[in-house]
Amino acid sequence: MLFCKTSTSLMKEIKANNYSIYFSSSGYRELDLFIKANNYSQIFIHLDDNTKKHCLEVFLKQIQKFNFKKILSKPGEKNKNIQSCVQLWDKLSLLSGDRKSLILNLGGGVVGDMGGFIASTFKRGIDYINIPTTLLSMVDASIGGKTGIDLGILKNQIGTFYDPKMVIVDPLYLETLNKNELISGYAEIFKHSIISSSEIFDKLISTNTDINFNNLQTIRDSIKIKNEIVLVDKKENKERKALNFGHTLGHAIESYFLDSKTRLLHGEAIAIGIVLASHISSKLFGFSSQKLNSIKSHILSIYNKVLFNKNDIDRIIKLLVHDKKNSHGKINFILIKDIGKPVYDIEVDNNLIIEAFKYYSI
Ligand code: GLY
């Protein structure tokens, strides 16, 4: 059993803004105490078809019995939209949800982002807890209080900042994932190291293809990095923008492929965005070409190379205007001077973006 071998320091909670992030069995103990201490009128478990099938039983085995009702949403980014929210709000209402209800989001980024969003808006805000079941949502989406949904193909355009009451991270759920989903989450782990820690960056680069994606130490280190950034800048006025490294082009690439036959997971698009942003960083801020090449070869040792033609690149560049970091009509990139040294709100010429795609493609 995974958690029997886990050392106490790895299990220690991480304090976030107004809540804590708990690990493995300690998380379920805290959840039991939390449910006992708060007199919720109703507890809803928000799931999708996949987590209902693969994770609900695992979750229920870990906690003491309590009464709950299930609310289901359809899986996948294409369902992270207002229509799904209307169905969930209707369901909550139909099942007599009131202001003293609690939602437990058991799932990946879509369940967490959308569940957080419906919690933040239903009856002007009810409590919720995230129990992420994918690597991506463990290290990123479930942490930091951002909730949201997509607008058409444009990601996370509608949303709120609304903290969960707690987050429970248990690598047990990762056993239900396929390799592609694990490597999708890894892109955020790698990004966290690039924006903040040479030590973790060097460690990840040196492991290359031997990465153990389920490793609790790696997951915890990554959550700690994100949490520390959110603690200084929750509303993304400055420092939190660093978490968007690789995401300006990454999100545009992800949106572009949502409409095509090629399926690209979030992390696969972000991995490409990381290479592109690192290349632009080398041109504008003298980011070391040796580190740039290490980033590219590390990414390509994990992710399949995606082919882009001129038309693809032109259309991806057009999608950049919708990035949430833009202001006053400018497209703002996050770049790096070095590992752990992000620079914010940088305008980038389209020719540099095209050059970066060339570097990625050769
Ligand atoms: N995923 C980026 C953030 O939470 O700010």
Side-chain angles (χ1 to χ4, degrees), residues 140-141 143-144 146 188 191 226 230 236 240 243-244 247:
D140 190 16
I143 312 293
K146 275 187 185 174
E188 299 293 349
K191 174 207 74 184
K226 171 158 184 184
V230 175
E236 200 171 298
R240 187 168 182 165
L243 292 169
N244 292 307
H247 283 57

Side-chain angles (χ1 to χ4, degrees), residues 77-78 150 152-155 253-260 262 264:
E77 193 70 32
K78 64 179 186 308
D150 301 339
I153 61 164
L154 304 174
K155 290 202 32 117
I253 293 168
E254 188 182 3
S255 293
Y256 180 64
F257 282 103
L258 274 181
D259 252 2
S260 96
T262 317
L264 219 50

